[in-house]
């Protein structure tokens, strides 16, 4: 028998909260979810679905419906996998918490998306410092049904394996790309800007802030620009990058990044809130409420 699934979280040490990494792949212990866990899912699901009407990219909600996700209960990975495998050949795997970077890349490169099995506590509805089941399933999984986005995610994983063998700085550049697209991306549609980033759609506050606040910049996606831009892990983003389509993302990232990493290593990075002369600006942020330090 498999050992019981663990919940691996940040731990408080004398250096503050530090992330703890785990590599084990586990069966989703669905029967162990309590009524309170299902209630947490229901509360978050309903709240975000209401907020995301007219804010999230259309296929985001459509795809949740194709999966049969609802507020009724925490979805079963097995059931989602039946839909997902048939559509794009991706598969969800259960994990206990954050994975080491290379392990994460290897899963993506093999079209396996790691999903944290545990869900946040009721007192963490609005914020927690690491991915949980709600962020992973509600936020990331819907777009894996989109064939172009699904290919992008696999290519990103393969690119990560490659970058890890090049230099730590290459990984920094690549991680910025993931952050500003997969986690915090906006997309320009006929109906206006919409959210597709998982970090936004799974956050009540940022779902509104990213689109409606006057504070952040909203700037057209440019690969090198994004890979040079630092970001925030502890506040809403100062800048959101806007793609025109998932095809644009796929095409921009198709070339071999090896020479790009070499070039980027010679160039300084941009602060999270910088606006450059070359930017295609949808909105120049007012900067209200920004902290001066803490970009990573
Ligand atoms: N084309 C990139 C490379 O050669 C890989 C990649 C694809 C990275 C998609 C990110 C996203 O490294
Ligand atoms: Co995420």
């Amino acid at each position: 028998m498999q050992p019981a699934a663990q919940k691996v979280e940040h731990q408080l040490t004398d250096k503050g909260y530090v992330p703890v990494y785990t590599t084990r792949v586990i069966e989703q212990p669905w029967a162990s979810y309590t009524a309170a866990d299902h209630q947490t899912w229901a509360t978050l699901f309903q709240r975000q679905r209401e907020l995301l009407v007219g804010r999230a990219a259309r296929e985001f909600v459509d795809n949740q419906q194709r999966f049969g996700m609802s507020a009724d209960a925490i979805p079963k990975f097995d059931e989602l996998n039946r839909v997902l495998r048939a559509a794009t050949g991706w598969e969800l795997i259960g994990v206990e918490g954050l994975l080491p970077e290379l392990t994460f890349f290897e899963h993506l490169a093999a079209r396996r998306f790691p999903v944290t099995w545990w869900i946040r506590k009721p007192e963490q509805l609005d914020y927690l410092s690491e991915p949980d089941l709600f962020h992973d399933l509600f936020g990331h999984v819907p777009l894996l049904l989109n064939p172009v986005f699904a290919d992008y995610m696999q290519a990103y994983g393969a690119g990560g394996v490659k970058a890890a063998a090049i230099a730590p700085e290459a990984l920094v550049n690549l991680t910025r790309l993931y952050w500003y697209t997969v986690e915090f991306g906006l997309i320009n549609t006929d109906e206006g800007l919409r959210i597709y980033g998982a970090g936004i759609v799974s956050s009540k506050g940022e779902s509104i802030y990213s689109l409606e606040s006057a504070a952040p910049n909203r700037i057209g996606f440019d690969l090198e620009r994004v890979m040079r831009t630092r970001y925030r892990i502890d506040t809403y983003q100062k800048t959101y990058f806007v793609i025109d389509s998932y095809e644009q993302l796929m095409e921009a990232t198709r070339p071999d990044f090896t020479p790009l990493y070499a070039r980027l290593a010679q160039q300084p990075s941009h602060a999270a809130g910088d606006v450059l002369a070359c930017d295609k600006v949808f909105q120049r942020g007012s900067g209200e409420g920004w902290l001066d330090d803490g970009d990573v």
Side-chain angles (χ1 to χ4, degrees):
M1 220 184 88
Q2 272 204 11
Q6 307 279 310
K7 177 180 177 184
V8 178
E9 283 179 284
H10 275 68
Q11 279 169 15
L12 187 55
T13 70
D14 50 1
K15 294 188 183 62
Y17 279 96
V18 297
V20 179
Y21 298 95
T22 168
T23 57
R24 210 150 68 89
V25 171
I26 54 144
E27 213 35 52
Q28 181 189 25
W30 197 85
S32 76
Y33 295 130
T34 63
D37 290 334
H38 289 292
Q39 186 55 54
T40 298
W41 168 267
T43 303
L44 290 169
F45 187 94
Q46 263 157 357
R47 190 171 87 174
Q48 288 311 107
R49 280 287 289 260
E50 270 167 43
L51 269 173
L52 291 174
V53 174
R55 291 197 175 95
R58 182 187 297 279
E59 61 267 70
F60 182 83
V61 172
D62 288 353
N63 289 354
Q64 286 190 340
Q65 278 161 352
R66 271 174 73 189
F67 270 121
M69 288 186 189
S70 79
D72 295 349
I74 293 175
K76 293 182 172 163
F77 297 176
D78 286 348
E79 291 179 6
L80 300 174
N81 272 336
R82 262 181 255 147
V83 179
L84 187 55
R85 281 198 201 98
T88 57
W90 274 77
E91 177 188 25
L92 311 180
I93 52 169
V95 295
E96 297 175 316
L98 284 173
L99 301 174
E101 229 163 18
L102 184 59
T103 311
F104 181 63
F105 292 142
E106 287 169 343
H107 284 308
L108 296 185
R111 290 176 103 84
R112 291 188 297 263
F113 192 78
V115 175
T116 308
W117 74 266
W118 53 266
I119 192 159
R120 67 193 73 184
K121 300 192 201 79
E123 60 271 25
Q124 297 171 308
L125 286 191
D126 293 334
Y127 183 78
L128 81 170
S129 62
E130 63 207 300
D132 73 333
L133 177 140
F134 183 74
H135 168 78
D136 288 339
L137 269 194
F138 185 96
H140 284 285
V141 172
L143 283 188
L144 293 176
L145 284 183
N146 177 301
V148 177
F149 195 83
D151 286 349
Y152 173 69
M153 291 292 284
Q154 175 183 8
Y156 175 81
V161 172
K162 194 172 79 181
I166 296 178
E169 298 73 41
L171 280 185
V172 170
N173 296 135
L174 194 63
T175 302
R176 290 179 185 145
L177 174 64
Y178 190 87
W179 191 264
Y180 280 121
T181 60
V182 177
E183 294 291 357
F184 292 97
L186 300 180
I187 185 165
N188 196 13
T189 75
D190 294 342
E191 295 159 320
L193 299 189
R194 293 289 183 272
I195 307 162
Y196 73 94
I200 307 178
V201 293
S202 59
S203 158
K204 176 184 170 189
E206 202 152 3
S207 292
I208 299 171
Y209 182 91
S210 63
L211 291 178
E212 279 142 73
S213 170
N217 303 314
R218 298 185 188 92
I219 293 173
F221 176 86
D222 176 87
L223 181 69
E224 293 198 32
R225 163 70 162 105
V226 168
M227 290 176 84
R228 287 178 67 178
T229 309
R230 301 196 298 275
Y231 56 88
R232 306 291 308 184
I233 57 169
D234 56 344
T235 64
Y236 298 152
Q237 299 308 304
K238 293 179 177 178
T239 299
Y240 299 92
F241 288 97
V242 181
I243 59 170
D244 294 323
S245 65
Y246 305 115
E247 285 79 7
Q248 177 198 18
L249 205 50
M250 196 64 217
E251 287 314 310
T253 55
R254 205 181 285 285
D256 180 5
F257 283 8
T258 311
L260 176 57
Y261 293 135
R263 187 151 22 102
L264 292 173
Q266 306 305 315
Q267 298 171 344
S269 62
H270 301 302
D274 283 357
V275 178
L276 311 178
C278 62
D279 286 336
K280 178 186 174 190
V281 179
F282 287 84
Q283 177 185 270
R284 178 182 288 264
S286 68
E288 193 192 332
W290 284 359
L291 301 178
D292 290 333
D293 59 351
D295 294 0
V296 301

